[in-house]
Amino acid sequence: MAGLTLRDVKKRYGETQVMHGVDLDIEHGEFVVFVGPSGCGKSTLLRMIAGLEEISDGTVAIGDTVVNQVAASKRGVAMVFQTYALYPHMTVYKNMAFGLKQAKTDPAEIDKRVKAAAEILQLGDYLDRSPRNLSGGQRQRVAIGRAIVRDPEVFLFDEPLSNLDAALRVQTRLEIARLHERLGNTMIYVTHDQVEAMTLADKIVVLRDGRIEQVGSPIELYERPQNAFVAQFIGSPKMNFFGPDDLAANAAAVLGKELPASQQVGLRPEHMVISDAANGVVEGKMELVENLGEYAMVHMITDTGVEFIAKTEKPPAAKKGEVISFTIKPELAHYFDAETGLRS
Amino acid sequence: MAAVTERSNFGKIAWPIVAWIVALIFFFPIFWLVFTSFKTDADAVKPEHLFRFTPTLENYTNMTQNYDYWRFAINSVITSTFATLFALFVGVPAAYAMAFNPSRHTKDILMWMLSTKMLPAAAVLYPMTFLTKNFLGIFDTHFLVIVVLCLINLPIVIWMLFTYFKEIPKEIIEAGKMDGVSTWGEIKDILIPLAWGGIASTALLTFIFCWNEAYWTVRLTTIDAATLSKLIEGNRAPEGLFFGRLSAVSTAAIAPIVILGWFCQKQLVQGLTFGAVK
């Protein structure tokens, strides 16, 4: 069984560089999620680990073996694609058996492994069907089954839930979590959905423009984001940012510190509480309330024109256009350098 | 609302009529060809026998007795079949490479291939005849006809296959790579089964193009490798005296391909309109 080591991994397409030297250590058995906005290079990085993209520079090692020059099928990895990528002309059974057949595995062994995987994924009744006669969720399970039968060291998932509807996405997410618990393999999972990232991951890797912004457990990323980008990316709705001029008159007293001009303060919507003006950290005019029953999203705008959102238990009594003050516990405020975005 | 309904009713009647008229205009020469083939050469040119004449099979019986229709037909089958097979044999891997492993120059290569179709055939007629006759000694052989038919159709074959292959999701091929399939395995076990419809219609069209090709088959053969095009050509007289005979030969030459096309209509339509909808 094996972990992964990435050292100064770069990717260039002709003149354009898309990965700028990624260093990453993944322990055996870890569930790692690559997350970031589209175009950040998360899928490219996954595909480089899979062996579907060449590594322009640096090394990728699985266990102790550097696999830069090893063919995809010999790396001990299996991949689940966003589009499932099942072979449409083969039955579910043949789809799962195909890889083993290529490896010249003994037919009895193939049968045993396919049946075992079908058992885990509850696909036993569908083995003779062709993919076109399956629902989206079933297709995704076949794709996962195809990965399981190969008994890989590392599972790679490329946005596996994106093509499923919301209800099925939650269910399949749970199934993947259970699968990880059961098999105990290393899994690397790419998504742009931070809920998937937060719920599944032992370790989240936040990427932007081909660079790692932060690596850490979900809770670390939420509680101590190292820069403004991570702070905004993790958490929904995203963190509100204010400069010194945007804050209410008594903000310094409530927060316990004067915000210098070179810094910004970040306040998470779910930490903001309606208060009287004397205890207010920020205040603004109410623009819109979205009442979702269990909580309300209050859309606000400050005098200085900064829009922000507060997540409150109940919708405020105030009407549109009225001024509301919000406060926050000082330890829940995050400070970032206004220019570099780094935590300060 | 009423106006719309009236209009679509009108359309329901008018469009089929227009379609029938157009179809008949296209069909008429074929009809006339078959019609004339049942006239004697003398009747064929007389205006008074335009529609009223005694039908005869003389032209068809003469054809098999006097100039061995079957030899020409067999040559057509052999050359068209092998030319099509070779074109696919080269075209499938070529289109596969360009569709799934494109480089910066793939578009240029495709354009270059197509540009070879822009060369006027007449421009290379003399060198071709000279080379094949005097140097290579392959003039009037099946080999030569097969090579020529294969090469002149190859650009179209590759373009068509490329378009079909492009519609196969790249991830399926990548899944194959993850499963450890060799390059040949990707083509054999994944690509060909998935693109079977496209390959079949490409093959069918190529076969038809080969069968109908006349410029080179007429000029690069005399007897041994002569195809049905050559047979028609041989019955052409400048004075136009043997219209009946010519019509019979032409009918017999196009009959196999028309019948083949009839049975494979669905594939053909798919092939001819490929890429038109997407």
Side-chain angles (χ1 to χ4, degrees):
Chain A
M1 289 304 198
L4 261 94
T5 320
L6 276 63
R7 285 289 169 263
D8 199 26
V9 170
K10 289 177 186 158
K11 178 71 191 174
R12 277 182 294 269
Y13 293 106
E15 299 289 297
T16 337
Q17 185 154 356
V18 293
M19 298 300 304
H20 303 271
V22 167
D23 288 295
L24 184 64
D25 291 287
I26 296 171
E27 308 272 315
H28 164 66
E30 250 183 331
F31 199 121
V32 177
V33 175
F34 293 171
V35 71
S38 52
C40 71
K42 55 191 189 295
S43 281
T44 308
L45 193 58
L46 190 79
R47 291 166 55 83
M48 284 160 89
I49 296 170
L52 294 172
E53 296 278 354
E54 228 169 278
I55 300 160
S56 308
D57 227 326
T59 55
V60 172
I62 298 175
D64 298 327
T65 326
V66 173
V67 293
N68 285 38
Q69 300 301 328
V70 179
S73 59
K74 302 267 192 292
R75 291 187 180 190
V77 299
M79 180 134 158
V80 177
F81 294 85
Q82 178 180 354
T83 55
Y84 323 134
L86 301 177
Y87 309 119
H89 56 297
M90 297 182 197
T91 61
V92 169
Y93 184 96
K94 284 188 176 156
N95 261 285
M96 294 206 265
F98 190 69
L100 295 175
K101 226 170 139 187
Q102 296 304 316
K104 307 241 169 2
T105 313
D106 177 52
E109 172 70 15
I110 294 180
D111 194 62
K112 204 179 91 192
R113 286 212 224 166
V114 171
K115 297 241 163 90
E119 174 78 36
I120 295 176
L121 297 162
Q122 292 148 30
L123 285 167
D125 297 339
Y126 304 103
L127 287 174
D128 292 329
R129 292 218 196 158
S130 77
R132 110 175 58 94
N133 297 323
L134 298 178
S135 68
Q138 289 165 339
R139 284 180 204 180
Q140 191 54 280
R141 293 218 295 275
V142 177
I144 294 171
R146 188 166 63 178
I148 292 177
V149 293
R150 296 188 48 219
D151 192 20
E153 308 263 2
V154 182
F155 278 95
L156 307 174
F157 294 91
D158 190 4
E159 308 211 17
L161 309 183
S162 302
N163 284 9
L164 301 178
D165 62 48
L168 209 50
R169 209 176 299 160
V170 174
Q171 191 194 329
T172 314
R173 198 175 74 205
L174 280 171
E175 278 173 24
I176 291 175
R178 268 189 221 120
L179 193 71
H180 179 239
E181 211 165 88
R182 178 167 180 165
L183 301 176
N185 296 43
T186 310
M187 293 190 175
I188 305 177
Y189 187 106
V190 163
T191 182
H192 59 264
D193 182 324
Q194 50 135 330
V195 178
E196 284 173 29
M198 295 296 280
T199 50
L200 287 170
D202 295 322
K203 190 194 257 175
I204 295 180
V205 178
V206 183
L207 288 147
R208 177 170 64 156
D209 297 337
R211 288 188 177 86
I212 292 183
E213 292 284 320
Q214 188 172 355
V215 180
S217 71
I219 208 68
E220 265 173 62
L221 261 58
Y222 180 79
E223 289 181 348
R224 280 193 66 80
Q226 276 168 13
N227 57 45
F229 176 78
V230 176
Q232 285 210 306
F233 198 80
I234 302 291
S236 174
K238 62 183 185 185
M239 187 185 278
N240 302 302
F241 281 86
F242 305 96
D245 300 339
D246 307 321
L247 295 176
N250 286 341
V254 181
L255 293 174
K257 75 177 253 189
E258 188 81 42
L259 189 66
S262 63
Q263 281 189 14
Q264 284 186 305
V265 62
L267 310 177
R268 291 204 183 274
E270 58 272 31
H271 295 152
M272 296 171 78
V273 183
I274 297 175
S275 71
D276 49 30
N279 288 318
V281 173
V282 280
E283 58 184 33
K285 282 198 188 106
M286 194 175 90
E287 293 222 298
L288 177 75
V289 177
E290 292 172 297
N291 188 359
L292 287 99
E294 60 169 319
Y295 58 88
M297 303 273 223
V298 189
H299 294 253
M300 306 287 301
I301 184 162
T302 65
D303 283 350
T304 49
V306 176
E307 290 179 33
F308 66 97
I309 299 177
K311 196 169 166 184
T312 58
E313 245 177 70
K314 284 186 183 137
K319 294 203 171 63
K320 187 181 160 155
E322 282 182 37
V323 174
I324 311 179
S325 295
F326 288 91
T327 190
I328 194 164
K329 288 184 187 154
E331 67 270 24
L332 293 175
H334 303 264
Y335 297 94
F336 300 98
D337 188 286
E339 264 188 29
T340 60
L342 291 176
R343 188 176 188 89
S344 46
Chain B
M1 274 311 276
V4 174
T5 327
E6 261 168 46
R7 204 163 166 169
S8 58
N9 273 342
F10 173 74
K12 262 182 210 159
I13 300 162
W15 283 115
I17 291 175
V18 172
W20 271 103
I21 292 171
V22 172
L24 284 175
I25 291 172
F26 276 99
F27 176 69
F28 184 76
I30 309 263
F31 162 76
W32 199 250
L33 186 76
V34 179
F35 194 63
T36 311
S37 73
F38 295 108
K39 297 177 183 176
T40 60
D41 286 330
D43 284 353
V45 289
K46 285 181 192 153
E48 61 269 32
H49 292 299
L50 206 56
F51 289 105
R52 287 178 27 195
F53 63 97
T54 324
T56 169
L57 284 175
E58 183 190 322
N59 291 321
Y60 287 97
T61 46
N62 277 352
M63 192 169 69
T64 40
Q65 279 160 17
N66 297 357
Y67 26 79
D68 199 2
Y69 167 82
W70 292 112
R71 193 163 54 85
F72 292 96
I74 287 167
N75 280 344
S76 274
V77 171
I78 290 174
T79 53
S80 301
T81 306
F82 280 97
T84 304
L85 287 178
F86 284 138
L88 289 177
F89 189 71
V90 177
V92 169
Y96 158 82
M98 287 192 286
F100 295 107
N101 299 299
S103 75
R104 272 186 301 161
H105 302 297
T106 298
K107 281 262 148 65
D108 302 334
I109 294 172
L110 279 166
M111 274 320 290
W112 168 73
M113 285 180 182
L114 203 63
S115 74
T116 60
K117 296 293 284 179
M118 297 168 197
L119 177 78
V124 288
L125 175 61
Y126 177 69
M128 277 291 281
T129 321
F130 184 75
L131 277 174
T132 52
K133 231 179 197 163
N134 302 356
F135 271 97
L136 302 170
I138 52 171
F139 189 82
D140 193 23
T141 58
H142 287 125
F143 174 75
L144 175 62
V145 178
I146 290 168
V147 168
V148 167
L149 289 180
C150 173
L151 289 180
I152 59 178
N153 282 303
L154 203 50
I156 302 289
V157 169
I158 292 177
W159 266 82
M160 280 186 73
L161 291 174
F162 176 76
T163 314
Y164 284 119
F165 292 174
K166 277 300 247 191
E167 285 179 21
I168 295 174
K170 205 174 168 218
E171 287 84 3
I172 295 183
I173 301 288
E174 287 179 342
K177 281 202 172 74
M178 299 297 297
D179 271 342
V181 193
S182 62
T183 306
W184 169 237
E186 278 172 30
I187 296 178
K188 180 172 67 80
D189 294 330
I190 301 173
L191 185 72
I192 292 180
L194 285 186
W196 183 243
I199 293 171
S201 39
T202 306
L204 194 62
L205 268 184
T206 311
F207 188 82
I208 292 172
F209 289 156
C210 289
W211 187 277
N212 294 343
E213 208 286 328
Y215 187 86
W216 290 111
T217 46
V218 165
R219 283 165 181 81
L220 295 178
T221 61
T222 44
I223 303 163
D224 291 342
T227 63
L228 286 170
S229 305
K230 184 82 178 174
L231 177 65
I232 298 174
E233 163 76 15
N235 280 281
R236 188 177 58 89
E239 307 81 19
L241 289 181
F242 309 115
F243 268 136
R245 200 167 85 185
L246 184 60
S247 300
V249 169
S250 302
T251 305
I254 63 170
I257 210 72
V258 169
I259 292 166
L260 180 73
W262 183 267
F263 281 112
C264 308
Q265 265 187 63
K266 220 172 119 187
Q267 287 292 342
L268 262 183
V269 170
Q270 197 194 342
L272 287 167
T273 57
F274 73 97
V277 188
K278 283 212 167 175

